[in-house]
Amino acid sequence: MREVAIIGTGVTKFGELWNKSFRALGIEAGMKAIADANLAGDEIDAMYIGNMSAGRFINQQHIDALIADYTGMASRHIPAVRVEAGGASGGVAFRQAYIDVASGASDYVVVGGAEKMTDLDDASINSVLDATADAEWEAGMGVTFAGLHAMIAQRMIHEGIATREEIASFAVNSHYHGALNPNAQFRKEIKLDTVLRSGAVAEPLGVFDCAPISDGAAAVVLCPLEKAKEHTDCYAKVAAVTQASDTLALFGRGEDITTYRATVEAANRAYQQVGITPADIQVAEVHDNFTVSGIMALQDLGFFKKGEAGKAVMDGQCRIGGKIAINTSGGLKARGHPIGATGVAQVAEIADQMRNRADKRQVPNAKYGLAQNTGGIGSAATVTILEAI
Amino acid sequence: MREVAIIGTGVTKFGELWNKSFRALGIEAGMKAIADANLAGDEIDAMYIGNMSAGRFINQQHIDALIADYTGMASRHIPAVRVEAGGASGGVAFRQAYIDVASGASDYVVVGGAEKMTDLDDASINSVLDATADAEWEAGMGVTFAGLHAMIAQRMIHEGIATREEIASFAVNSHYHGALNPNAQFRKEIKLDTVLRSGAVAEPLGVFDCAPISDGAAAVVLCPLEKAKEHTDCYAKVAAVTQASDTLALFGRGEDITTYRATVEAANRAYQQVGITPADIQVAEVHDNFTVSGIMALQDLGFFKKGEAGKAVMDGQCRIGGKIAINTSGGLKARGHPIGATGVAQVAEIADQMRNRADKRQVPNAKYGLAQNTGGIGSAATVTILEAI
């Protein structure tokens, strides 16, 4: 397989973007990424789209054709592929695009992620989100997606893996970075008390433990590493992209629900492929759809031992300048979480870090960065490791 | 890229399967294919799933995790990827699996397709189907998916490309073969008059011009060609898998709506890759979601000149023993059309033809077979060419 590089990134503002359609967002991100790569649209060989549920959010299936059409790519009839894996839709789409370029099948590939969620009412949105849990044995029984995460949080507290305060501090960390990101949905620092006192969603989790409902899109452009220099001096090497699965339902995990084995597996495979350890990573985007997911990710990815991640976040070790910079974009909590876009936006953030293009959020001298994207209740995970050149 | 083989196929019965769940169908097809390949489940490296809209049909997203879980693959945390491209979901999933094996990333890959449609009421089903058209500019304006195909049929008749009778004869051809397929939804020959006199859906198309609503699943197992012989003497070579896009909306096509350019492009690329012409194909599965789509496919794939396909079907040239055997499975019309399963089931049928395993439907001495799968109103197309070894 060929080595692959990211030569362009494009991310829209995330938020409640009532004046922008799904189409407009997808095109904005894609065109930004293509322009950033110094390419013309007619140099693109294939497109991949991560999207969770346009079929339910905007009554539109077949997003592959939509995006190919509205970016003008359909006039050259290039292949366009839509991938869905719940919250991991973007990460899985990125991995498919990576395999496409690595295989030699395509040279220049755009991978986008997009979601337009705010056109639907809140109850309907929650019904879509719950559909990434097990419809027959979880959602069908009345448990919500937030409820499943609350059970994990309760268990973490019960087992002494993290305190309620430590879990809540993950949101403080995300907002700290989000305040530095002009494209973030929430650009405001928050205090721990704000999280702890926020309205209950599923105890112990409150509103500020949960990523928001968002509209937005992100895109990156891939090409063979050996061709990257022809287009730009500003590129990042894709060192590894791995994916792992786990049971659909949380009850299928047996005794231990405070670890996502899919994350552990994907991470171990990625570290092994690159020949590094978690200590070699200086910056990471992790999937904090809930604060508790963020804490788990830090442990499952090997950045901290089980029981130590919460303390580290509380101590500010996960801020820029700390032991490891976590979610410099603001993460899902503060940057926002347009579901299909998230996995691609994470990769774009890490690519910009590796390309020294992250402005006020730049982590100095970072050699390796990692993005972790999960679907469902940890039922799928992708791990991407990028390397600065 | 490595050469790739199909070493196993598995297809469930298609039909209104009220006593079988989505899960049960997916597992049945996957396990059949794995057993047919003489593999154990723990030898599988990755899974791909073509599924159009479980999110709306059965309120379940994240089908990748569902299938990985219920086939036991999640215990080894293998990557599972769900792909959606409207009616072309299965074909696109197959192509992604092919690239995965060809790239060297995976050795043994199961690609499945599944849809459970009959749990929903008819009006809701149609709303889902219409969502593969352009939601803003077609479906949102009131035109149905059948209505779009009716416009194409009207234009074909107006331009003298095919008569109403010739278009209708495609269903007769599909039912002729469907009667030979024990897994087909409709195993009964029909007369031309039955099609012509069937209740109007969107004129000139009647009920018998339309593929049915179906439940079902299909799967095939891929591996590197050089490893195929280790497992079975009964395998087919994947000679080419191509994919092309076109505008999402029919009105975007300009003057000519009686050709699917995505099919033409995908087919030309495939013929070129293999170094053959349409005349070298002895058996093909084409996407007859409506009779008129079948007639168009025969022309767009180069089997017949424009204006001659309808006559050929009327004359029986597309039956086993004729010039080219079309839809020996019964096609979408008679075998059934569980949307996400269709593209994979087509490939399975052609693989069985190449492996001399098609029983009463076997086309003697076929060297090359082709499967064409389309999404939306020809907005995406995949073409797969298999070769007998």
Side-chain angles (χ1 to χ4, degrees):
Chain A
M1 289 171 69
R2 301 192 290 189
E3 292 192 305
V4 176
I6 294 177
I7 58 171
T9 64
V11 184
T12 70
K13 194 167 167 33
F14 284 7
E16 299 189 13
L17 310 176
W18 292 309
N19 60 341
K20 290 195 179 176
S21 68
F22 181 90
R23 296 166 198 228
L25 288 165
I27 294 164
E28 182 184 333
M31 290 307 172
K32 267 186 186 172
I34 292 170
D36 184 32
N38 298 314
L39 290 173
D42 62 5
E43 294 174 271
I44 302 300
D45 297 318
M47 302 186 77
Y48 285 82
I49 322 293
N51 169 261
M52 181 178 134
S53 196
R56 292 180 66 175
F57 286 128
I58 59 167
N59 206 27
Q60 178 72 64
Q61 299 278 155
H62 212 350
I63 293 305
D64 52 307
L66 175 86
I67 300 279
D69 188 1
Y70 279 72
T71 53
M73 305 287 173
S75 64
R76 290 185 304 112
H77 308 291
I78 69 166
V81 178
R82 177 218 167 182
V83 172
E84 185 261 336
S89 298
V92 176
F94 178 76
R95 181 166 172 272
Q96 291 300 302
Y98 165 78
I99 294 174
D100 195 340
V101 176
S103 75
S106 300
D107 279 341
Y108 297 94
V109 174
V110 181
V111 50
E115 208 85 51
K116 175 76 182 171
M117 302 173 70
T118 63
D119 284 358
L120 228 56
D121 63 279
D122 286 353
S124 302
I125 291 171
N126 274 310
S127 155
V128 180
L129 300 182
D130 293 344
T132 64
D134 188 320
E136 284 184 22
W137 297 105
E138 287 180 330
M141 303 300 178
V143 67
T144 62
F145 202 52
L148 290 168
H149 288 85
M151 290 183 207
I152 295 174
Q154 293 284 21
R155 191 73 201 171
M156 286 183 85
I157 294 166
H158 176 75
E159 291 189 10
I161 296 167
T163 65
R164 170 70 188 111
E165 290 71 22
E166 287 167 358
I167 291 171
S169 71
F170 202 94
V172 178
N173 192 78
S174 290
H175 274 259
Y176 174 80
H177 289 137
L180 304 172
N181 183 354
N183 283 325
Q185 184 162 359
F186 301 120
R187 300 193 56 200
K188 199 174 170 181
E189 286 193 54
I190 55 170
K191 297 201 165 114
L192 186 61
D193 239 27
T194 309
V195 188
L196 294 172
R197 293 183 185 190
S198 63
V201 173
E203 284 189 53
L205 305 177
V207 171
F208 274 75
D209 288 278
C210 310
I213 304 300
S214 317
D215 307 323
V220 299
V221 180
L222 298 175
C223 79
L225 184 63
E226 61 178 25
K227 296 197 178 196
K229 248 200 158 46
E230 295 171 21
H231 303 279
T232 176
D233 289 331
C234 185
Y235 59 95
K237 179 182 163 183
V238 183
V241 194
T242 58
Q243 183 189 344
S245 57
D246 205 343
T247 60
L248 179 65
L250 186 60
F251 67 76
R253 309 289 164 82
E255 293 290 306
D256 186 6
I257 62 166
T258 60
T259 291
Y260 282 165
R261 293 176 310 200
T263 297
V264 173
E265 281 288 328
N268 287 345
R269 290 173 200 166
Y271 294 137
Q272 199 178 349
Q273 278 180 30
V274 187
I276 61 173
T277 71
D280 295 310
I281 306 287
Q282 290 95 31
V283 54
E285 292 280 307
V286 306
H287 194 91
D288 63 327
N289 53 348
F290 296 89
T291 46
V292 65
S293 318
I295 299 289
M296 270 207 293
L298 297 181
Q299 298 174 159
D300 293 342
L301 294 165
F303 298 147
F304 298 96
K305 286 187 191 145
K306 210 161 181 172
E308 296 182 4
K311 283 180 196 64
V313 177
M314 280 279 263
D315 293 351
Q317 289 183 39
C318 294
R319 296 186 178 191
I320 296 166
K323 186 191 167 207
I324 179 169
I326 296 294
N327 290 5
T328 55
S329 70
L332 283 59
K333 173 66 193 80
R335 167 152 71 171
H337 184 30
I339 302 179
T342 287
V344 180
Q346 292 177 314
V347 170
E349 177 74 9
I350 297 299
D352 286 348
Q353 289 284 358
M354 295 298 109
R355 300 159 81 206
N356 210 16
R357 287 255 307 252
D359 298 331
K360 291 183 187 168
R361 314 187 302 279
Q362 185 64 46
V363 176
N365 306 316
K367 172 75 175 163
Y368 290 105
L370 179 150
Q372 175 243 15
N373 188 206
T374 65
I377 187 80
S379 308
T382 61
V383 168
T384 299
I385 297 179
L386 304 184
E387 182 179 346
I389 295 291
Chain B
M1 290 171 68
R2 301 191 290 188
E3 292 193 306
V4 176
I6 295 177
I7 58 171
T9 64
V11 183
T12 70
K13 193 168 167 36
F14 284 8
E16 298 189 12
L17 309 176
W18 292 310
N19 60 340
K20 291 197 179 174
S21 69
F22 180 89
R23 296 167 196 227
L25 288 165
I27 294 164
E28 182 184 332
M31 290 308 171
K32 268 187 186 171
I34 291 168
D36 184 32
N38 298 314
L39 290 173
D42 62 6
E43 295 174 272
I44 302 299
D45 297 319
M47 302 186 79
Y48 285 81
I49 322 292
N51 169 261
M52 180 177 134
S53 196
R56 293 180 67 174
F57 286 128
I58 58 168
N59 206 27
Q60 178 71 64
Q61 299 278 154
H62 212 352
I63 293 305
D64 51 308
L66 174 86
I67 300 277
D69 187 0
Y70 279 71
T71 52
M73 306 286 174
S75 64
R76 290 185 304 113
H77 308 292
I78 68 167
V81 178
R82 178 218 166 182
V83 172
E84 186 260 336
S89 299
V92 175
F94 178 76
R95 181 166 171 272
Q96 291 299 301
Y98 165 78
I99 293 173
D100 195 340
V101 177
S103 75
S106 301
D107 279 341
Y108 296 94
V109 174
V110 180
V111 49
E115 207 85 51
K116 175 77 184 170
M117 302 173 72
T118 62
D119 283 359
L120 229 55
D121 63 279
D122 286 353
S124 302
I125 291 171
N126 274 310
S127 155
V128 179
L129 300 181
D130 294 344
T132 64
D134 188 321
E136 284 186 21
W137 297 105
E138 286 179 330
M141 302 300 177
V143 67
T144 63
F145 202 51
L148 290 168
H149 288 85
M151 290 183 207
I152 295 173
Q154 293 284 20
R155 191 71 201 173
M156 287 183 86
I157 294 167
H158 176 75
E159 291 188 9
I161 296 167
T163 65
R164 169 69 188 113
E165 289 72 21
E166 287 167 358
I167 291 171
S169 71
F170 202 93
V172 178
N173 193 79
S174 290
H175 274 259
Y176 173 80
H177 290 137
L180 304 172
N181 183 354
N183 283 324
Q185 185 161 359
F186 301 122
R187 299 193 58 201
K188 199 174 168 181
E189 287 194 53
I190 55 169
K191 297 200 166 118
L192 186 60
D193 238 29
T194 309
V195 188
L196 294 172
R197 293 184 185 189
S198 63
V201 173
E203 284 190 52
L205 305 177
V207 172
F208 275 75
D209 288 278
C210 310
I213 304 301
S214 317
D215 307 323
V220 300
V221 179
L222 298 175
C223 80
L225 184 62
E226 61 179 23
K227 296 197 178 196
K229 250 203 157 44
E230 294 171 21
H231 303 280
T232 176
D233 290 330
C234 185
Y235 59 93
K237 179 181 163 184
V238 183
V241 194
T242 58
Q243 183 189 345
S245 57
D246 206 343
T247 60
L248 180 64
L250 187 60
F251 68 74
R253 310 290 163 81
E255 293 288 308
D256 186 5
I257 62 166
T258 59
T259 291
Y260 281 165
R261 291 176 311 199
T263 297
V264 173
E265 280 289 327
N268 287 345
R269 291 173 200 166
Y271 293 137
Q272 199 178 348
Q273 279 180 31
V274 187
I276 61 172
T277 71
D280 295 310
I281 306 288
Q282 290 95 30
V283 54
E285 292 281 306
V286 305
H287 195 89
D288 62 327
N289 54 347
F290 296 89
T291 46
V292 66
S293 318
I295 298 290
M296 268 206 294
L298 297 182
Q299 297 174 160
D300 293 342
L301 293 165
F303 298 148
F304 298 96
K305 287 188 190 144
K306 210 162 182 173
E308 296 182 6
K311 282 181 196 64
V313 177
M314 281 278 263
D315 293 351
Q317 289 182 39
C318 294
R319 297 187 178 192
I320 295 167
K323 186 190 168 207
I324 180 170
I326 298 294
N327 290 6
T328 54
S329 70
L332 284 59
K333 174 67 193 79
R335 165 151 74 171
H337 183 32
I339 302 178
T342 286
V344 180
Q346 292 178 314
V347 170
E349 177 75 8
I350 296 299
D352 285 348
Q353 288 285 357
M354 296 298 108
R355 300 158 82 207
N356 211 16
R357 288 254 307 252
D359 297 331
K360 290 183 186 167
R361 314 189 301 281
Q362 184 64 47
V363 176
N365 306 315
K367 172 75 176 162
Y368 290 105
L370 179 150
Q372 175 242 16
N373 188 207
T374 65
I377 187 81
S379 307
T382 61
V383 169
T384 300
I385 297 178
L386 303 184
E387 183 179 345
I389 296 292

